[in-house]
């Protein structure tokens, strides 16, 4: 019994110390002069105490007490007593624009009333001077300096004029690539906005590192250097190429839906070429056999900054053959522009078409239309992307997001194999729109542990949405543990959570949990809602010349039970060159 009481008292004492012993150090601050008051505050450490006192003196200086300082420090036990003398408060009589155009100062937020009989605030003055210098640095004067001129004092009041020394007007001479990269210097100069004869802009030099982080094909190995000679600036950028061109072949083993006792072998081929000829051209070819009778093909090409402009042109073609039911084709043209190192915007035009491959014999006797029909959809839209990743090639920290939306005219075509009477009451032509949103975040908990979470959502709306016009989800790039394009949905939201344990720079073990809500609400049939969930794990091994990947996933949905006999196994090797 005694032992228990003693233990309880010890625990209560520990809790008391943790709860009430945080502010074990006290600071008694006596302020005299232009301000008179006494303040007592508690702190957990001496460092926090010293930081508070330093910040307080700074705040006094920014309120006109330029001579504020500690006069004496006395310590009695855990209480430190500090006497602060503020001195008199100084104020501005006026601050004149001097030889700087008032139009420029106004754009930079300068207002002479803020310096008219107001306390002297050196921090506000420093911010103003930095803005002025920054403005001229970005307009061809990197050697511009600003100082106070004609300084006068009348008692406790100051007056002064701003004085600008512009220095010589500087233009960019050239951009030089230093290192092993084969990137074309003219292309790189246009991408960075640094070209011969252009007025020197400091912001463009400052953004070099951030903008080059968006490039997969090459990377910057050190900080850029700038040399000035004869009123011209030459920018030296150390670059080295990455091995990012890929040839990827993956074999998948899936349960054969037509022959239960056998496995179905699927195939995939991916070819991606980046920075072709050193001019930022990118090409891609992706083919995939989804099941015994289904496959898809995607081809894309990109030509950056066409005709020397800042406009990127992209073209893509996508073909999907779904069993013996239908075939979809999608052709898209994009015009994009890099707004800044973080933002990219593009406008696009897209033509989609869907055609039935066969019509059931029973359709002649049916009283309803099938879920899939022939259609044509021409749309126009825009996409905005944001990047804030530490490395776009292998991110460990940061986030990225994108939003895409389009609207257009949708037409349903009558199929001669379907009775014309079944099309009565159906909007054969209607307005249709869609929107998709994606955000992806990376947390680097330790040097070896990183977590990725991704949230995506989309919606298709209109009066004649068809099943073969819906979003296709499922597979390695969306909801794992299911076949590729397993789900149809005209509304969806799903989240991927993926912790990664890096045992080498580019090699890691990973686990994942995917959850989703999918809504299928088409032209024919009742609304259906599915809430699939999946989990699993795998390995990604970087070999230097490529990457080996193995992923195992198990999922449950309305149409698939949870069990190892429904597990999806994907493995393959991606070669880089």
């Amino acid at each position: 019994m005694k032992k228990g009481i003693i233990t309880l008292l010890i625990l209560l004492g520990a809790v008391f110390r943790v709860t009430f012993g945080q502010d074990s150090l006290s600071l008694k601050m006596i302020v005299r002069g232009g301000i008179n008051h006494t303040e007592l505050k508690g702190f957990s450490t001496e460092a926090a105490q010293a930081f508070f006192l330093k910040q307080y003196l700074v705040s006094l200086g920014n309120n006109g007490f330029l001579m504020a300082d500690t006069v004496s420090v006395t310590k009695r036990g855990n209480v430190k007593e500090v006497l602060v003398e503020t001195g008199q408060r100084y104020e501005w009589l006026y601050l004149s624009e001097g030889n700087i155009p008032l139009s420029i100062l106004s754009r930079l937020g300068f207002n002479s009333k803020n310096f008219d009989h107001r306390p002297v605030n050196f921090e506000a003055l420093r911010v103003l001077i930095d803005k002025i210098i920054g403005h001229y640095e970005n307009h061809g004067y990197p050697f511009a300096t600003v100082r106070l001129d004609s300084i006068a004092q009348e008692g406790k009041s100051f007056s002064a004029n701003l004085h600008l020394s512009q220095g010589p007007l500087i233009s960019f001479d050239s951009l030089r690539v230093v290192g092993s990269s084969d990137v074309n210097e003219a292309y790189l100069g246009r991408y960075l906005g640094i070209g011969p004869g252009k007025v020197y802009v400091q912001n463009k030099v400052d953004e070099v590192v951030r903008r080059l982080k968006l490039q997969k094909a090459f990377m910057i190995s050190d900080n850029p250097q700038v040399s000035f000679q004869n009123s011209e600036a030459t920018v030296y950028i150390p670059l080295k190429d990455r091995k990012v061109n890929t040839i990827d072949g993956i074999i998948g083993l899936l349960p054969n839906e037509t022959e239960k006792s056998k496995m179905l072998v699927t195939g995939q081929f991916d070819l991606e070429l980046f920075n072709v000829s050193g001019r930022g051209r990118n090409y891609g070819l992706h083919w995939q056999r989804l099941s015994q009778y289904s496959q898809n093909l995607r081809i894309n090409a990109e030509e950056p900054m066409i005709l020397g402009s800042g406009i990127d042109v992209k073209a893509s073609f996508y073909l999907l053959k779904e069993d013996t039911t239908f075939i979809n084709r999608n052709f898209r043209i994009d015009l994009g522009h890099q707004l800044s190192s973080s933002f990219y915007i593009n406008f696009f035009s897209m033509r989609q078409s869907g055609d039935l491959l066969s019509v059931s014999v029973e359709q002649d006797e049916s009283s309803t239309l099938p879920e899939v029909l022939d259609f044509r959809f021409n749309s126009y839209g825009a996409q905005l992307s944001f990047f804030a990743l530490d490395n776009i090639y292998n991110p460990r920290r940061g986030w990225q997001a994108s939003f895409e939306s389009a609207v257009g005219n949708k037409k349903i075509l009558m199929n001669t194999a379907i009775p014309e009477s079944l099309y009565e009451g159906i909007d054969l032509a209607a307005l249709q729109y869609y929107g998709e949103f994606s955000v992806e975040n990376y947390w680097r908990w330790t040097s070896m542990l990183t977590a990725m979470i991704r949230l995506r959502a989309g919606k298709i709306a209109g009066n004649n949405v068809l099943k073969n016009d819906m979003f296709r989800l499922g597979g390695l790039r969306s909801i794992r543990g299911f076949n590729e394009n397993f789900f149809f949905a005209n509304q969806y939201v799903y989240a991927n959570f993926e912790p990664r344990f890096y045992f080498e720079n580019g090699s890691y073990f990973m686990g994942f949990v995917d959850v989703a809500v999918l809504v299928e609400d088409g032209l024919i049939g009742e609304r259906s809602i599915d809430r699939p969930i999946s989990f699993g794990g795998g390995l990604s091994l970087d070999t230097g010349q490529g990457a080996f990947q193995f992923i195992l996933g198990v999922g449950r949905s309305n149409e698939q039970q949870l069990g190892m006999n429904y597990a999806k196994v994907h493995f393959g090797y991606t070669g880089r060159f």
Side-chain angles (χ1 to χ4, degrees):
M1 184 70 177
K2 263 188 185 179
K3 253 187 202 180
I5 294 173
I6 292 171
T7 304
L8 180 61
L9 289 174
I10 292 172
L11 289 173
L12 288 174
V15 170
F16 182 84
R17 284 195 302 272
V18 171
T19 307
F20 301 102
Q22 296 299 312
D23 296 337
S24 57
L25 299 175
S26 297
L27 175 67
K28 184 179 181 181
M29 196 161 54
I30 303 170
V31 183
R32 295 176 181 172
I35 299 175
N36 292 283
H37 79 279
T38 301
E39 184 176 357
L40 182 65
K41 292 182 66 70
F43 298 90
S44 58
T45 64
E46 289 189 2
Q49 194 180 69
F51 180 77
F52 171 80
L53 182 59
K54 180 180 178 181
Q55 292 300 110
Y56 184 78
L57 292 174
V58 170
S59 68
L60 286 175
N62 289 333
N63 280 279
F65 297 102
L66 306 182
M67 308 302 292
D69 200 0
T70 56
V71 176
S72 64
V73 178
T74 307
K75 193 170 182 180
R76 297 184 180 90
N78 290 336
V79 180
K80 180 185 287 187
E81 185 176 293
V82 178
L83 176 61
V84 177
E85 286 283 357
T86 67
Q88 63 178 343
R89 172 178 281 180
Y90 293 89
E91 63 179 25
W92 285 107
L93 190 60
Y94 66 83
L95 178 65
S96 171
E97 64 271 16
N99 66 338
I100 304 175
L102 189 58
S103 58
I104 293 177
L105 289 175
S106 297
R107 289 202 303 270
L108 298 176
F110 172 76
N111 187 343
S112 60
K113 292 182 179 179
N114 294 333
F115 297 89
D116 185 8
H117 294 92
R118 298 289 181 89
V120 174
N121 186 333
F122 282 131
E123 178 62 21
L125 182 62
R126 184 193 64 79
V127 171
L128 173 63
I129 291 176
D130 286 346
K131 285 183 178 180
I132 297 170
I133 292 175
H135 172 81
Y136 280 91
E137 284 180 338
N138 292 320
H139 289 80
Y141 298 96
F143 298 104
T145 59
V146 176
R147 60 182 175 84
L148 295 181
D149 191 24
S150 303
I151 301 174
Q153 181 180 1
E154 297 179 14
K156 60 178 183 178
S157 298
F158 288 98
S159 63
N161 298 329
L162 292 169
H163 182 81
L164 168 70
S165 297
Q166 289 187 155
L169 177 64
I170 304 294
S171 300
F172 285 117
D173 173 44
S174 60
L175 181 147
R176 303 288 176 85
V177 174
V178 180
S180 59
S181 177
D182 294 328
V183 65
N184 182 274
E185 291 180 349
Y187 154 71
L188 188 64
R190 290 197 301 272
Y191 173 72
L192 298 173
I194 297 173
K198 291 186 177 181
V199 172
Y200 183 90
V201 179
Q202 184 63 43
N203 276 348
K204 293 189 181 297
V205 177
D206 294 339
E207 284 193 350
V208 165
V209 175
R210 290 193 294 270
R211 296 201 68 169
L212 291 180
K213 282 185 177 181
L214 303 178
Q215 293 290 331
K216 287 185 176 181
F218 47 86
M219 62 181 292
I220 188 166
S221 56
D222 202 351
N223 291 325
Q225 302 293 326
V226 183
S227 68
F228 299 94
Q229 188 175 7
N230 299 326
S231 299
E232 292 181 328
T234 301
V235 183
Y236 297 88
I237 302 179
L239 291 178
K240 60 181 180 180
D241 290 330
R242 285 195 181 108
K243 291 183 178 181
V244 291
N245 298 323
T246 62
I247 295 180
D248 183 6
I250 296 178
I251 297 174
L253 300 177
L254 309 175
N256 195 315
E257 297 174 359
T258 58
E259 300 180 47
K260 298 295 183 183
S261 60
K262 295 184 178 180
M263 299 296 290
L264 175 65
V265 179
T266 61
Q268 176 177 322
F269 176 76
D270 294 304
L271 173 65
E272 291 189 341
L273 302 176
F274 295 94
N275 195 31
V276 176
S277 72
R279 297 179 181 273
R281 299 185 177 109
N282 301 324
Y283 303 103
L285 171 65
H286 306 271
W287 170 83
Q288 189 176 54
R289 183 186 180 187
L290 304 173
S291 62
Q292 192 167 0
Y293 301 107
S294 299
Q295 55 185 318
N296 63 45
L297 173 69
R298 184 185 300 274
I299 303 172
N300 60 275
E302 177 182 356
E303 178 70 25
M305 293 174 289
I306 189 167
L307 301 177
S309 69
I311 304 298
D312 304 329
V313 178
K314 305 175 186 178
S316 63
F317 174 76
Y318 177 65
L319 180 144
L320 170 65
K321 181 179 180 291
E322 183 75 16
D323 295 326
T324 58
T325 310
F326 65 86
I327 183 170
N328 283 358
R329 293 170 295 273
N330 182 330
F331 181 71
R332 171 167 164 165
I333 292 286
D334 288 70
L335 300 177
H337 177 65
Q338 190 80 42
L339 294 175
S340 71
S341 60
S342 301
F343 286 95
Y344 188 88
I345 188 171
N346 61 285
F347 300 92
F348 61 87
S349 174
M350 181 167 58
R351 176 175 173 80
Q352 296 171 268
S353 64
D355 294 292
L356 296 179
L357 295 175
S358 62
V359 178
S360 174
V361 177
E362 290 81 10
Q363 190 62 51
D364 292 335
E365 303 175 359
S366 176
S367 60
T368 59
L369 282 169
E371 292 183 310
V372 296
L373 293 172
D374 304 283
F375 74 91
R376 302 291 184 268
F377 180 39
N378 297 317
S379 62
Y380 303 90
Q383 182 186 54
L384 182 64
S385 303
F386 176 82
F387 307 92
L389 299 173
D390 61 341
N391 187 334
I392 197 170
Y393 180 68
N394 184 20
R396 304 284 290 275
R397 183 185 290 111
W399 64 287
Q400 61 181 351
S402 68
F403 174 75
E404 176 177 309
S405 183
V407 62
N409 295 313
K410 168 83 169 293
K411 292 182 179 180
I412 295 178
L413 306 180
M414 290 187 179
N415 193 299
T416 54
I418 299 175
E420 187 176 335
S421 59
L422 298 183
Y423 287 94
E424 293 181 4
I426 301 298
D427 287 332
L428 297 181
L431 196 67
Q432 181 170 301
Y433 73 87
Y434 80 88
E436 286 189 280
F437 170 77
S438 173
V439 61
E440 197 170 290
N441 203 346
Y442 293 84
W443 284 284
R444 186 168 183 171
W445 292 338
T446 67
S447 60
M448 301 178 71
L449 189 61
T450 297
M452 183 276 290
I453 186 168
R454 179 191 297 122
L455 179 67
R456 286 181 177 169
K459 180 177 181 177
I460 299 175
N463 293 331
N464 55 8
V465 179
L466 303 171
K467 187 168 184 177
N468 54 325
D469 187 29
M470 294 183 179
F471 297 115
R472 303 300 303 275
L473 303 166
L476 287 175
R477 292 176 177 83
S478 55
I479 308 170
R480 290 160 287 193
F482 299 92
N483 292 346
E484 294 291 330
N485 292 343
F486 184 76
F487 300 103
F488 292 84
N490 65 302
Q491 298 180 53
Y492 75 86
V493 58
Y494 70 82
N496 310 119
F497 176 68
E498 183 179 300
R500 299 174 180 176
F501 178 79
Y502 284 84
F503 55 90
E504 287 183 359
N505 187 38
S507 302
Y508 57 87
F509 295 104
M510 52 85 73
F512 71 84
V513 176
D514 299 339
V515 294
V517 177
L518 312 176
V519 179
E520 185 180 336
D521 188 12
L523 182 65
I524 309 298
E526 298 181 356
R527 164 180 281 208
S528 65
I529 299 177
D530 199 352
R531 294 179 174 84
I533 183 172
S534 64
F535 57 89
L539 164 71
S540 181
L541 183 63
D542 191 346
T543 64
Q545 301 299 320
F548 173 79
Q549 193 173 57
F550 173 88
I551 294 177
L552 171 66
V554 180
R556 176 189 61 79
S557 70
N558 291 348
E559 300 179 22
Q560 178 175 298
Q561 298 178 2
L562 186 66
M564 290 304 297
N565 54 326
Y566 291 99
K568 304 299 181 287
V569 179
H570 295 271
F571 61 90
Y573 179 78
T574 301
R576 301 193 191 103
F577 60 95

